[in-house]
Amino acid sequence: MEDLACTWTPEVIVEITKALAWPLVVLAIGFRFRSGILESVRGFFARNAVSEVSATTAGISAKFVAAKQTTETRESIGSNSVSLPENMTVEAIKEKHSSSATEFSEEIYEGISTHLRALELPREEEREILAREISLLQSAINFFDINKVIFRSQFNLFAIMAENNSFISKEGLQNHFIEIKNFVGEGLEGWDWVKYVAYPVSSGLLVDENGGYTLSKRGRSYVTFMHRNPQLIDDLAKL
């Protein structure tokens, strides 16, 4: 019978040490900087939501999406960097334009200015056109911000409400949430219907009134905008 006994010669010990050296170093570094690594991972997933629910890791992927909405709910809702405060002075507005300008924004500005000059509109009509254009852009930016964290199932709920006098009872919302939670499983582990509706309410899409929830003006407008841009609906987080 072949002798399988191992002889612990100095050469064997050196080879084993070489084989174990890098794994041990990696473990040591990981242990030393574990807190920093964890913070980096948390920061990444706070900024990047997983929008697809994997068939093999459904719970994990979906939880990242759900956690993103929870983070957004805690942050200030409705503050938009491109909004102009009502009491902003002309000097402050010009300073804001100057500090925010880029080469690309200047190119767009020149294009708009050239187009307006070519139209040769009266001053009031020109002002009306620009104000209308800005309102559409501000609205779209607001809706794109919402799309970063809203669930597909929440949008489906809004669409159903829009077809039913923009209202749903709390019982109806609870039933909707139970159906979604049963479907996605671990993705909404630890969630209840109150947490599920928190972001839509805090973002101004829903209003808690009359024993249920009503789509606000912003909520109705959001549904209309999304129906006009159906490709955006498919990009919503699959929860």
Side-chain angles (χ1 to χ4, degrees):
M1 180 180 294
E2 183 180 357
D3 187 6
L4 298 179
C6 177
T7 303
W8 293 92
T9 65
E11 290 79 7
V12 171
I13 295 174
V14 168
E15 290 302 317
I16 292 175
T17 302
K18 287 181 180 179
L20 294 177
W22 273 112
L24 289 174
V25 169
V26 171
L27 288 174
I29 293 174
F31 183 79
R32 171 65 180 79
F33 298 104
R34 64 190 184 281
S35 60
I37 294 172
L38 289 174
E39 286 303 316
S40 297
V41 171
R42 292 192 190 99
F44 172 82
F45 286 111
R47 298 188 300 271
N48 302 279
V50 179
S51 60
E52 295 292 339
V53 178
S54 169
T56 56
T57 57
I60 295 175
S61 297
K63 283 179 182 177
F64 286 141
V65 178
K68 174 66 175 174
Q69 187 170 117
T70 303
T71 301
E72 292 294 329
T73 302
R74 290 197 298 266
E75 295 173 356
S76 58
I77 303 298
S79 59
N80 197 315
S81 60
V82 298
S83 297
L84 297 177
E86 295 180 2
N87 60 348
M88 182 177 279
T89 64
V90 174
E91 290 75 16
I93 292 175
K94 289 182 178 180
E95 174 59 29
K96 178 175 169 45
H97 290 172
S98 177
S99 62
S100 302
T102 63
E103 292 181 65
F104 185 58
S105 68
E106 287 300 301
E107 182 179 330
I108 294 175
Y109 166 74
E110 292 297 335
I112 293 173
S113 298
T114 300
H115 193 180
L116 286 175
R117 286 193 296 268
L119 291 175
E120 297 182 346
L121 297 172
R123 179 67 65 178
E124 286 300 319
E125 190 172 352
E126 180 180 288
R127 185 179 301 166
E128 173 65 20
I129 286 177
L130 288 176
R132 184 70 62 183
E133 188 69 18
I134 291 172
S135 71
L136 292 174
L137 289 173
Q138 290 277 11
S139 177
I141 290 171
N142 187 275
F143 296 151
F144 281 129
D145 284 342
I146 291 171
N147 279 359
K148 293 177 183 177
V149 291
I150 206 75
F151 302 156
R152 174 65 181 269
S153 63
Q154 289 170 323
F155 172 76
N156 291 343
L157 173 66
F158 305 156
I160 293 171
M161 293 173 63
E163 297 177 355
N164 292 275
N165 298 318
S166 299
F167 181 81
I168 187 170
S169 66
K170 291 187 177 180
E171 181 181 359
L173 191 144
Q174 291 176 49
N175 292 334
H176 172 82
F177 170 74
I178 291 172
E179 290 179 5
I180 298 303
K181 187 171 183 178
N182 289 338
F183 179 74
V184 302
E186 294 182 12
L188 292 174
E189 183 181 350
W191 282 56
D192 55 21
W193 71 272
V194 175
K195 188 173 182 179
Y196 182 78
V197 80
Y199 177 76
V201 171
S202 63
S203 62
L205 297 170
L206 298 183
V207 178
D208 185 352
E209 61 183 8
N210 301 323
Y213 293 93
T214 303
L215 274 175
S216 65
K217 184 185 296 183
R218 176 179 292 183
R220 295 192 301 272
S221 300
Y222 174 66
V223 172
T224 299
F225 173 82
M226 295 295 283
H227 281 157
R228 290 174 179 170
N229 300 274
Q231 73 279 6
L232 299 178
I233 298 176
D234 193 53
D235 290 336
L236 297 176
K238 306 299 191 295
L239 271 183

